[in-house]
Amino acid sequence: MNLTFDDGYQFGLGAFETVSLVKGQPVWLEAHEQRLRRALHWLGIALPLDWKDQFRAYIEGEGAGMGVVKILASDNNLSFTSRKNPYEDMPSRPGFVLSLSDIRRNESSPFVFHKTFNYGDSIVAKRKAAQLGIDEPIFCNTKGELTEGAVSNLFFIKNGQLYTPPIEAGLLPGIVRAYVCHRYDVIEKAIYPDEIDGFDECFITNSLMGIMAVRQFGSQTFPVSETTQTAALFQQYQKDRLRPFPGSL
């Protein structure tokens, strides 16, 4: 891999996408491309015309047999990395433990709405959480509203109704988040930490884990079993991810 140290690698002015592969085929690549192009357009960067040919050559060559491919684009670079998907081979899905991070999402910054190389807050929070046995840290914005996880979007369920923080609260419009919002009736509303104990279920989403049940958020516990609504959503997602993306971002 030959990289040029352009503004992407010196100042974080680049964008990336993390794409799940199932049996060698990318899941919802068209949605990832749409989000990548949006971020690059905002940064004033053009995606190479042959990027998809390069992507295909990579997953059929160096990335063959992997479960995840990351696409990284900056002004003078287009590169790919790959790895196994740790969630595909999980013997069970016992549910994640979440905790509030002491880092705040800045909802006034346009960077929070794009998947750029400016990912330091999320990585630092994720590492600190892991040291405490926490699977995923959750950020509030400067108003104290819940926004998203370090690498995930956040959902709650109450009386069968799905809820999620709105994008304008300061969060990345996730691919699986968009899928859930297109596929089901979801209310987007401001949610505060003191409301967590009023929900029946909680789950998080991203392109690698799909839909992951949450068994504990702070001191609040949630049910995790095959009979929950979250489990049904996950089973449907497993089928839908092999079909075209339902809608647009």
Side-chain angles (χ1 to χ4, degrees), residues 2 5 10 36 39-40 58 108 111 127 142 154 162 164 170-171 189-190 202 207 213 216 221:
N2 296 317
F5 287 94
Q10 295 190 77
L36 179 62
L40 292 177
Y58 181 84
S108 70
F111 279 98
R127 289 174 178 173
T142 63
L154 179 66
L162 276 65
T164 194
L171 54 96
K189 65 182 290 289
C202 178
S207 291
Q216 185 172 344
T221 58

Side-chain angles (χ1 to χ4, degrees), residues 32-233:
H32 284 283
E33 178 183 2
Q34 182 182 351
R35 188 172 64 178
L36 179 62
R37 287 189 180 279
R38 183 185 302 162
L40 292 177
H41 176 76
W42 176 68
L43 291 168
I45 298 171
L47 194 62
L49 295 177
D50 68 341
W51 84 270
K52 198 167 289 186
D53 292 334
Q54 293 186 50
F55 175 81
R56 288 289 179 185
Y58 181 84
I59 65 174
E60 292 172 3
E62 186 176 341
M66 295 292 103
V68 180
V69 171
K70 181 179 286 187
I71 308 167
L72 303 103
S74 58
D75 196 31
N76 297 317
N77 298 284
L78 176 65
S79 57
F80 308 96
T81 63
S82 59
R83 64 183 189 274
K84 296 288 187 181
N85 186 343
Y87 303 104
E88 286 293 323
D89 297 324
M90 291 179 70
S92 64
R93 294 169 70 93
F96 269 21
V97 176
L98 313 183
S99 180
L100 290 177
S101 172
D102 57 3
I103 299 174
R104 293 294 179 110
R105 278 288 191 253
N106 178 8
E107 70 276 10
S108 70
S109 171
F111 279 98
V112 303
F113 306 108
H114 299 286
K115 198 163 187 174
T116 73
F117 291 1
N118 280 264
Y119 224 63
D121 280 352
S122 292
I123 298 303
V124 169
K126 186 80 170 174
R127 289 174 178 173
K128 287 183 177 179
Q131 293 173 354
L132 300 173
I134 304 298
D135 296 301
E136 179 76 338
I138 301 296
F139 301 106
C140 288
N141 62 17
T142 63
K143 300 175 184 177
E145 302 166 349
L146 295 172
T147 62
E148 63 181 349
V151 296
S152 66
N153 289 120
L154 179 66
F155 287 84
F156 294 97
I157 302 175
K158 184 176 179 63
N159 297 327
Q161 176 66 57
L162 276 65
Y163 297 87
T164 194
I167 291 173
E168 57 266 26
L171 54 96
L172 180 73
I175 303 298
V176 181
R177 178 190 186 277
Y179 155 77
V180 174
C181 290
H182 281 297
R183 188 73 165 74
Y184 304 98
D185 176 30
V186 180
I187 294 176
E188 299 183 54
K189 65 182 290 289
I191 304 172
Y192 294 87
D194 62 4
E195 299 178 73
I196 294 172
D197 61 1
F199 292 102
D200 302 323
E201 296 180 40
C202 178
F203 64 90
I204 58 175
T205 62
N206 74 20
S207 291
L208 302 190
M209 67 178 70
I211 294 173
M212 178 65 71
V214 170
R215 62 183 172 89
Q216 185 172 344
F217 190 162
S219 61
Q220 179 64 30
T221 58
F222 295 99
V224 176
S225 74
E226 294 182 358
T227 63
T228 61
Q229 188 172 344
T230 298
L233 293 172

